[in-house]
Amino acid sequence: MAAILSPTAAGLFRRVVLQSPPMFMANPSDWAATKGSLMLHSLGVPKDDVGEMRDVDVQSFLEAQTFMTTWPNFLEGLAPIGPSVDGTVLPTTLMEHFLHKALPKGYENLEIMIGFTRDEFNFFFPFLPNFQDMDDSMFVRTYFSHIFGHKNARRAYEIYRDQIVPPSSPPSEVARYMASDVMCRVSTLLTAENLARHGHKVWLYEWDYESNDVENIIKAAHMVDAIYSWDNLEYWVDNPFLGPGDDVERDQIAKQMSRAIVSFARSGDPDHPGIPHWPAYCQPGKETERDGMVFDQEVRVERNIYDHGLALWKTQLKEYVRNQLCPIKAKEETASLSSTTDDAAKDVSEPEGSSGKKRKIDAV
């Protein structure tokens, strides 16, 4: 995603496949410096002698990054080494641009295939061994406060608990939904809308197929779709992302996914004989018909994926956001959150079973 916003890369490619594009993708310069200092601290390297990093072994780097995933604002600590806004190569923060603006000059004809996995946050359970035992006050004081500010954290938590997650879900499930939304799901859906609004051909997918790992934790987690995208599952034997499962079924969905990517790369259209017709997302004149492909045991087209949760982000939750790296609101209030926002606002207060019903995501 960073390459798309760099003026120096304009015209170098015509199509892109964005898989689970995260909300926190590029860092403002001040936050990049802060994370750099934290990384040096974790490695035991003094700021005035960064040359010592040449002598640090790979395992220490990996452990330092793992350490950074355990703090409350892990959403920004997952990739301490990554692109930073410098005003030249990367002149703007990614999400502010993708959610509200047109792409830079030179990208007018860019075609996009974009998607996310149903259980994005499950990828990180191994790094957070006590996550499922935490109570709601702990999540409110950490994850929710980090995104929505301490004044609105409890209210945001209650919106997720009462209106988004399945009834009687534990606090860890409420936090998992929110973390998955902030990491990838909501940003992907809003990015797809914004790109389509600015005239780009966009194809959206959601990955629901579970990895069937032994502990039954990973499920349709972050990166599972990427494993199947290359149709080379023989190289993933005994990997915890897969574990035991139906090899024939897996081979089929790997081919369905990989051939869609190949078809898109060749022609700009992901359709191929092995899947149902894949309509473009949010076609002109049909803004209320946001179609996406769901990859599961049975591949299917679904309209308005995660519409209830997205509607809440467009109406209530976006007003609570206090994190500078999560620019859900445009600087100037326009219709940038789609022409269907008013209708969506009506749906969020309707009970389950109405047009705004909850869409269940399997609990872990």
Side-chain angles (χ1 to χ4, degrees):
M1 292 179 70
I4 298 174
L5 293 188
S6 176
T8 60
L12 297 182
F13 44 88
R14 182 175 179 181
R15 302 180 181 105
V16 296
V17 178
L18 303 174
Q19 296 185 298
S20 296
M23 180 72 80
F24 300 121
M25 187 65 179
N27 305 293
S29 57
D30 58 340
W31 185 223
T34 298
K35 288 207 292 185
S37 295
L38 287 169
M39 189 67 171
L40 289 174
H41 226 16
S42 300
L43 293 170
V45 174
K47 293 181 182 181
D48 57 356
D49 192 8
V50 294
E52 279 191 22
M53 292 181 70
R54 298 189 184 94
D55 300 324
V56 177
D57 60 281
V58 173
Q59 189 60 34
S60 293
F61 274 106
L62 295 176
E63 289 175 354
Q65 180 160 323
T66 298
F67 167 74
M68 294 186 74
T69 67
T70 63
W71 59 344
N73 50 344
F74 77 100
L75 290 164
E76 297 155 21
L78 294 174
I81 302 173
S84 302
V85 176
D86 65 349
T88 303
V89 177
L90 188 58
T92 182
T93 59
L94 271 67
M95 284 299 100
E96 179 177 358
H97 204 110
F98 273 111
L99 299 187
H100 308 301
K101 302 178 182 179
L103 295 180
K105 183 178 180 181
Y107 293 101
E108 291 82 2
N109 297 318
L110 189 70
E111 298 168 338
I112 300 99
M113 179 176 170
I114 186 171
F116 60 93
T117 70
R118 186 193 64 199
D119 306 308
E120 291 281 356
F121 183 73
N122 287 25
F123 177 90
F124 305 102
F125 276 159
F127 300 111
L128 304 165
N130 299 319
F131 185 82
Q132 296 185 75
D133 299 325
M134 295 169 66
D135 60 26
D136 62 347
S137 62
M138 180 64 73
F139 286 121
V140 169
R141 291 196 302 268
T142 55
Y143 294 90
F144 281 84
S145 291
H146 181 58
I147 301 300
F148 300 105
H150 71 279
K151 291 183 179 180
N152 296 309
R154 171 58 67 177
R155 177 59 185 141
Y157 178 91
E158 291 171 349
I159 288 174
Y160 266 91
R161 182 196 63 198
D162 299 339
Q163 302 187 55
I164 296 180
V165 305
S168 302
S169 294
S172 60
E173 187 71 355
V174 179
R176 185 177 76 88
Y177 266 62
M178 189 278 288
S180 292
D181 282 353
V182 171
M183 281 172 53
C184 301
R185 182 162 48 216
V186 167
S187 57
T188 295
L189 291 167
L190 291 175
T191 296
E193 283 189 19
N194 184 53
L195 290 169
R197 186 181 306 116
H198 284 96
H200 295 277
K201 292 182 179 180
V202 180
W203 282 266
L204 177 94
Y205 76 85
E206 175 182 294
W207 184 270
D208 281 14
Y209 188 70
E210 297 185 9
S211 62
N212 297 322
D213 63 302
V214 176
E215 293 80 15
N216 197 30
I217 290 178
I218 293 178
K219 290 183 173 287
H222 180 70
M223 208 187 88
V224 171
D225 55 336
I227 294 173
Y228 286 81
S229 296
W230 302 100
D231 190 18
N232 60 356
L233 295 182
E234 65 270 22
Y235 296 106
W236 289 85
V237 174
D238 297 327
N239 186 280
F241 270 98
L242 298 182
D246 187 327
D247 290 337
V248 174
E249 181 178 89
R250 288 172 169 177
D251 180 68
Q252 175 179 312
I253 194 169
K255 286 179 169 52
Q256 289 172 318
M257 181 62 166
S258 62
R259 289 174 182 175
I261 292 175
V262 170
S263 178
F264 173 71
R266 286 175 173 170
S267 67
D269 189 332
D271 265 350
H272 65 86
I275 60 174
H277 168 61
W278 189 340
Y281 185 78
C282 200
Q283 300 180 58
K286 299 181 179 180
E287 285 76 13
T288 61
E289 301 176 5
R290 302 185 298 277
D291 294 316
M293 187 68 75
V294 176
F295 284 88
D296 204 344
Q297 291 173 312
E298 181 179 346
V299 178
R300 68 187 187 277
V301 174
E302 184 171 318
R303 178 153 293 172
N304 298 335
I305 292 174
Y306 198 58
D307 200 40
H308 183 72
L310 187 63
L312 285 164
W313 270 91
K314 289 178 177 180
T315 53
Q316 298 180 54
L317 291 169
K318 74 181 180 71
E319 299 299 330
Y320 297 157
V321 172
R322 293 295 178 269
N323 189 295
Q324 65 169 333
L325 302 184
C326 187
I328 205 73
K329 292 186 288 187
K331 289 183 177 179
E332 295 181 5
E333 290 297 334
T334 64
S336 64
L337 289 174
S338 92
S339 60
T340 62
T341 298
D342 291 339
D343 292 334
K346 298 175 184 176
D347 286 344
V348 299
S349 60
E350 295 177 358
E352 189 167 357
S354 67
S355 59
K357 68 179 181 180
K358 299 173 186 175
R359 182 169 178 273
K360 183 180 182 296
I361 298 179
D362 291 342
V364 297

